[in-house]
Amino acid sequence: MRYSAIALAFLLAGCGTGTSSLPTITPAPASSAGSPLPDLQPRLDAIGVLLTDCAARLRGEPVDPADNCTHVMPDVTGVVAEVEKQSSKLPPAGQAALAEVRTQLAAITPCEPWFAAGGTSADRELDARCKKAWDALFRGYSAVRNTA
């Protein structure tokens, strides 16, 4: 678990912390104590911060090739797998959002070169498909976070 925290710290530093007017993944008004999955709240919140920071980078901000946010997907997949293990505790909306995130994680897999290029390519069809997959993943993860 300690190694996960260290890796997460590197990811937080690596994905940038610039401010933007983009939407963010933030906790719902309820406290962790009222959450169906209080033990996962810190990880869910941390991944939400990473996705929020990466969204800014994938929407046109200059991206260093070493700082392209592709490394976030394994962490998203990991926390989603942990939520799935306890999904029976989630309300129906959370279970539906979880299924949507799983679908979006599969849809985003072919977009790794797009991520590596900072969310742009010479292929408009690829740009549109990957942007749509990214936006759906972002919305779905936010819904999972807010129901968990």
Side-chain angles (χ1 to χ4, degrees), residues 7 10-11 15 17 41 50 75 78 80 94 96 100 103 108 128 130 141:
F10 280 111
L11 288 173
C15 206
T17 56
Q41 289 306 310
L50 288 173
D75 289 314
V80 166
E100 180 63 24
T103 300
I108 222 160
C130 292
Y141 187 85

Side-chain angles (χ1 to χ4, degrees), residues 57-58 61 63 65 68 70 111-122 127:
R57 296 192 176 282
L58 294 173
E61 292 181 14
V63 178
N68 60 41
T70 59
C111 294
E112 287 185 28
W114 182 80
F115 280 109
T120 60
S121 74
D127 286 348

Side-chain angles (χ1 to χ4, degrees), residues 11-147:
L11 288 173
L12 285 170
C15 206
T17 56
T19 59
S20 175
S21 61
L22 296 171
T24 59
I25 297 175
T26 55
S31 71
S32 292
S35 163
L37 306 175
D39 55 321
L40 292 178
Q41 289 306 310
R43 287 207 55 216
L44 285 162
D45 291 344
I47 298 300
V49 168
L50 288 173
L51 288 173
T52 297
D53 289 345
C54 290
R57 296 192 176 282
L58 294 173
R59 294 187 192 229
E61 292 181 14
V63 178
D64 181 317
D67 187 18
N68 60 41
C69 300
T70 59
H71 54 277
V72 172
M73 290 307 127
D75 289 314
V76 174
T77 301
V79 79
V80 166
E82 289 180 40
V83 171
E84 282 180 324
K85 290 176 187 174
Q86 300 180 46
S87 64
S88 63
K89 297 178 183 178
L90 293 175
Q95 293 176 5
L98 190 58
E100 180 63 24
V101 167
R102 265 292 168 213
T103 300
Q104 293 311 319
L105 282 170
I108 222 160
T109 299
C111 294
E112 287 185 28
W114 182 80
F115 280 109
T120 60
S121 74
D123 182 346
R124 284 194 257 191
E125 188 177 306
L126 176 70
D127 286 348
R129 186 176 70 241
C130 292
K131 182 185 178 318
K132 182 179 176 184
W134 173 261
D135 290 345
L137 175 66
F138 191 85
R139 283 189 312 273
Y141 187 85
S142 183
V144 167
R145 165 57 197 94
N146 288 333
T147 59

